């Protein structure tokens, strides 16, 4: 993580045999780092379960799931780990319903349920982890957890991920990150990256952003701002809210000197129509990319995403957005 943490402990013979193929890809030291990393996932849905599956198979040290919401039939559409009979019983939380199945993927990884509310976790609890992934949480909760990660003396990487039907967003904050980058000649070279916090990344005045900034970035900010102003949780805003959301768009574009055409009405309609619905193929793509990024972060190998990644199944494109931190200008 950012070059921190030793790798003195050797892998066991069982670990070496189990992870032989991936050790050949990223090396023994990277696998050692993985085996000592502790990951917390706040919000269990189709996207984060794809991520969990990937890092459990890769051999992360431990994985904790925090989501006390009781399983409903809606969860079955994208979360492939929830058995149908668990849904019918109506007594298990999303985290509990997925915990045992994840253990079956790799018995060498410690998978557990963390009971609690992500919006209330304290600094002592945060200190137990090296990676924190947040999904299906309000902007207020994401900012709270990201801020807690940054206040700790140890390096804690923060990720948020959201899937709205055919669209997806990943945010990455590795704070100060050191990693090895392979050069054309084959020799690795040390690189340093400094990341913006989530607050910084969403507070950059829109007029300062490049013209080619993806429309999804702006659209997600409009929805976040509307949900925050109305006290809504993600997905609770529906197509019926379109007139109010369009008014929010106009207000933000006027204040940010941005043409409303940069946030097409059709895109906002798609995001609102999605509600809490996830599209399983998009979940698999986002979960795969997020798993890859977390492995890069832990192993300190390979170019990581800086700030944002967006995916839209409408055109099949994945776009990285490096939003530069500038003095904060609030627009909530």
């Amino acid at each position: 993580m950012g070059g921190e943490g030793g790798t003195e402990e050797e892998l066991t013979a069982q670990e070496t045999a189990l992870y032989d193929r991936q050790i050949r890809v990223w090396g023994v030291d990277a696998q050692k780092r993985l085996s000592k990393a502790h990951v917390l996932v706040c919000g269990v849905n189709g996207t984060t379960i794809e991520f969990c599956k990937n890092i459990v198979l890769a051999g992360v040290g431990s994985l904790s799931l925090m989501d006390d919401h009781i399983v409903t039939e809606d969860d079955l559409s994208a979360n492939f780990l929830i058995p149908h009979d668990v849904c019918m019983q109506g007594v298990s939380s999303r985290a509990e319903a997925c915990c045992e199945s994840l253990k079956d993927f790799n018995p060498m990884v410690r998978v557990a349920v963390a009971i609690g509310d992500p919006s209330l976790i304290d600094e002592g609890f945060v200190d137990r982890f090296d990676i924190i992934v947040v999904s299906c949480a309000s902007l207020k909760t994401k900012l709270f957890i990201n801020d807690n990660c940054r206040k700790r003396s140890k390096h804690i990487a923060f990720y948020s991920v959201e899937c709205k039907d055919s669209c997806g967003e990943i945010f990455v904050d590795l704070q100060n990150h050191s990693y090895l980058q392979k050069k054309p000649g084959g020799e690795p070279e040390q690189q340093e990256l400094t990341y913006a916090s989530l607050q910084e990344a969403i507070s950059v005045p829109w007029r300062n952003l490049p013209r080619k900034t993806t429309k999804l970035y702006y659209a997600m900010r409009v929805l976040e701002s509307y949900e925050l102003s109305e006290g809504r949780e993600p997905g609770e805003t529906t197509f019926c809210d379109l007139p109010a959301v369009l008014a929010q768009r106009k207000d933000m574009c006027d204040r940010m000197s941005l043409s409303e055409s940069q946030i097409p009405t059709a895109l906002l309609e798609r995001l609102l129509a999605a509600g809490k619905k996830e599209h399983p193929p998009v979940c698999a793509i986002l979960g795969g990319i997020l798993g890859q990024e977390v492995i890069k972060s832990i192993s300190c190998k390979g170019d990581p995403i800086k700030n944002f990644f967006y995916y839209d199944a409408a055109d099949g494109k994945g776009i990285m957005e490096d939003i530069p931190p500038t003095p904060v200008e609030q627009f909530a």
Side-chain angles (χ1 to χ4, degrees):
M1 294 288 301
E4 294 181 8
T7 56
E8 294 82 4
E9 293 181 18
E10 295 300 319
L11 296 173
T12 65
Q14 187 179 5
E15 288 174 320
T16 303
L18 180 61
Y19 304 127
D20 175 66
R21 289 189 179 182
Q22 57 202 48
I23 287 173
R24 297 185 193 196
V25 175
W26 52 59
V28 173
D29 283 347
Q31 192 63 47
K32 288 179 185 177
R33 289 178 184 273
L34 273 172
S35 68
K36 295 197 306 176
H38 304 291
V39 180
L40 171 66
V41 172
C42 299
V44 177
N45 55 25
T47 303
T48 54
I49 278 302
E50 290 281 357
F51 162 73
C52 291
K53 174 202 68 179
N54 293 331
I55 61 165
V56 165
L57 289 172
V60 74
S62 72
L63 171 65
S64 297
L65 305 175
M66 179 179 282
D67 193 327
D68 295 344
H69 291 89
I70 299 300
V71 172
T72 67
E73 193 168 348
D74 289 340
D75 294 313
L76 300 177
S77 62
N79 191 331
F80 66 92
L81 281 188
I82 298 179
H84 188 268
D85 60 339
V86 170
C87 171
M88 300 304 291
Q89 293 166 10
V91 294
S92 295
S93 70
R94 293 173 186 160
E96 291 168 335
C98 298
C99 185
E100 293 305 314
S101 297
L102 283 169
K103 289 178 182 178
D104 292 339
F105 278 109
N106 188 347
M108 298 186 71
V109 174
R110 299 183 300 280
V111 183
V113 173
I115 297 173
D117 182 344
S119 67
L120 301 174
I121 59 178
D122 58 33
E123 295 173 350
F125 181 75
V126 167
D127 270 339
R128 293 164 48 185
F129 303 98
D130 304 295
I131 304 277
I132 296 182
V133 175
V134 181
S135 188
C136 44
S138 67
L139 175 60
K140 183 178 179 181
T141 296
K142 291 176 183 175
L143 292 171
F144 169 72
I145 296 174
N146 185 212
D147 188 52
N148 267 344
C149 290
R150 283 185 156 252
K151 286 179 178 177
R152 311 314 299 148
S153 57
K154 69 176 285 189
H155 186 284
I156 304 174
F158 172 87
Y159 298 81
S160 71
V161 60
E162 296 298 339
C163 177
K164 289 185 175 293
D165 196 25
S166 59
C167 299
E169 176 187 73
I170 296 173
F171 172 76
V172 181
D173 177 13
L174 304 184
Q175 301 180 43
N176 296 307
H177 181 64
S178 304
Y179 67 99
L180 293 177
Q181 180 188 63
K182 272 196 175 181
K183 291 301 180 180
E187 288 297 317
E189 183 177 291
Q190 186 86 356
Q191 301 290 327
E192 304 284 338
L193 284 177
T194 299
Y195 281 72
S197 68
L198 179 57
Q199 181 67 73
E200 291 170 328
I202 65 173
S203 299
V204 177
W206 289 354
R207 59 180 170 271
N208 293 351
L209 296 176
R211 285 188 177 183
K212 291 185 178 180
T213 299
T214 178
K215 293 175 172 58
L216 260 176
Y217 170 83
Y218 299 119
M220 293 295 281
R221 304 292 75 81
V222 170
L223 286 186
E224 279 178 349
S225 181
Y226 180 75
E227 289 169 349
L228 191 63
S229 66
E230 295 295 313
R232 307 269 184 90
E233 292 297 314
E236 289 182 355
T237 302
T238 68
F239 197 82
C240 297
D241 296 296
L242 181 61
V245 171
L246 293 179
Q248 183 79 16
R249 177 187 66 178
K250 183 180 187 310
D251 178 63
M252 293 174 72
C253 286
D254 287 348
R255 283 187 284 127
M256 291 291 182
S257 303
L258 184 78
S259 169
E260 289 185 63
S261 64
Q262 289 296 104
I263 317 173
T265 300
L267 177 57
L268 290 172
E269 288 175 345
R270 284 172 58 204
L271 296 176
L272 288 171
K276 296 182 179 180
K277 184 173 141 188
E278 297 176 286
H279 191 40
V282 177
C283 292
I285 291 169
L286 294 173
I289 290 169
L290 183 56
Q292 173 183 283
E293 289 304 310
V294 166
I295 290 171
K296 284 184 195 174
S297 168
I298 295 169
S299 66
C300 299
K301 289 187 176 182
D303 294 307
I305 289 173
K306 184 122 183 270
N307 296 140
F308 289 99
F309 173 84
Y310 291 93
Y311 179 78
D312 189 345
D315 57 20
K317 291 181 180 178
I319 299 173
M320 287 187 286
E321 293 287 1
D322 181 2
I323 305 296
T326 64
V328 171
E329 179 173 317
Q330 298 290 347
F331 57 85

